[in-house]
Amino acid sequence: VASDRGGIPYRSSWQEEWRSDRKLCEQTKQRLFIGPGQKPLERALSEMPHLMAEHMLEDTALGKERAEAAKAEAKACGEAEGEVEQEGEELKLELFGDNPGDLVDVAGTLEARYQEELKLYTDQVKQTILQAARSARLPMSTKVSLSEFCDMVWRLGHESPLDRDATPGGGAARARATDDEEDDEDEGDGSDDDEDGSSTATSAA
């Protein structure tokens, strides 16, 4: 990314972009990798499509509407902490008039829409994570930490010089494969020369 430092044109390195993107990823996805007692945990890659889909839907209009409806339903049913039954009944009348049964209908329709969207999001995210797993040559059962997950996702859209020294599937493996092919070609050239030499010697004899 080009920028300006003291009037001098400057272009950030891939390391800076990687650190910045990973930091943002870790900040926004951190709670997906927090377990009981607020302790960091690892997640299987197979878990991530559903978790990520839920996380993404939270910021949509549908997700916010669902969250608000859940709060309203909790209050209407007197389940909110410190809520008294009278307040719950008043809220029911305010929201749904004389037919509180509408609460169930609205909630059911909203939940059906949410579940439909959740499936679409999950399917889309699953394709991305499958691609990242294939690129890293990892089965979907592999458990990864937050930073490892963010690295996998980042490398899908960025080519890193570190890939040249990476584990199987990276640049190092491709470089070795190229070297092996070149060695085979050299050996083949040598054998042809030997054959040509022996033919000439036979003719001379």
Side-chain angles (χ1 to χ4, degrees):
V1 179
S3 60
D4 185 79
R5 290 186 175 181
I8 302 175
Y10 170 77
R11 180 174 293 277
S12 61
S13 66
W14 71 267
Q15 292 101 327
E16 290 175 318
E17 184 179 356
W18 163 65
R19 291 191 189 98
S20 176
D21 289 349
R22 190 176 71 168
K23 182 179 180 181
L24 179 61
C25 174
E26 290 178 347
Q27 289 174 343
T28 57
K29 311 295 188 299
Q30 183 178 24
R31 66 183 185 80
L32 301 181
F33 289 82
I34 296 295
Q38 296 299 302
K39 293 183 178 180
L41 54 74
E42 294 183 337
R43 292 284 191 185
L45 292 175
S46 57
E47 297 179 79
M48 295 310 300
H50 185 78
L51 292 173
M52 284 290 296
E54 288 182 327
H55 174 71
M56 294 165 66
L57 273 172
E58 287 178 357
D59 293 329
T60 65
L62 178 59
K64 293 176 180 178
E65 183 182 357
R66 180 175 180 262
E68 288 299 321
K71 291 179 182 178
E73 183 179 3
K75 289 181 180 180
C77 295
E79 294 176 357
E81 188 174 347
E83 191 74 58
V84 296
E85 184 176 350
Q86 182 61 33
E87 291 175 339
E89 291 300 323
E90 291 175 356
L91 184 58
K92 278 184 182 180
L93 290 174
E94 180 182 345
L95 292 174
F96 305 104
D98 295 329
N99 187 15
D102 289 346
L103 175 66
V104 177
D105 296 337
V106 172
T109 302
L110 180 61
E111 186 62 22
R113 288 166 49 208
Y114 175 82
Q115 291 299 328
E116 183 178 353
E117 283 294 297
L118 181 62
K119 185 179 184 306
L120 291 175
Y121 273 65
T122 300
D123 290 343
Q124 291 174 0
V125 175
K126 185 176 182 180
Q127 294 304 313
T128 300
I129 294 180
L130 279 171
Q131 185 179 352
R134 283 195 295 266
S135 178
R137 294 198 177 182
L138 295 173
M140 289 293 283
S141 58
T142 303
K143 289 189 174 183
V144 296
S145 65
L146 172 60
S147 60
E148 290 170 339
F149 175 75
C150 289
D151 277 342
M152 286 182 62
V153 174
W154 188 85
R155 290 202 176 196
L156 270 181
H158 302 79
E159 183 177 356
S160 164
L162 293 180
D163 289 338
R164 299 169 187 169
D165 301 320
T167 50
R174 288 191 292 270
R176 286 195 298 272
T178 302
D179 290 342
D180 290 341
E181 291 175 0
E182 291 177 352
D183 290 342
D184 290 342
E185 290 177 0
D186 291 341
E187 291 176 1
D189 292 341
S191 61
D192 290 342
D193 291 342
D194 291 342
E195 289 177 2
D196 292 340
S198 60
S199 298
T200 303
T202 304
S203 300

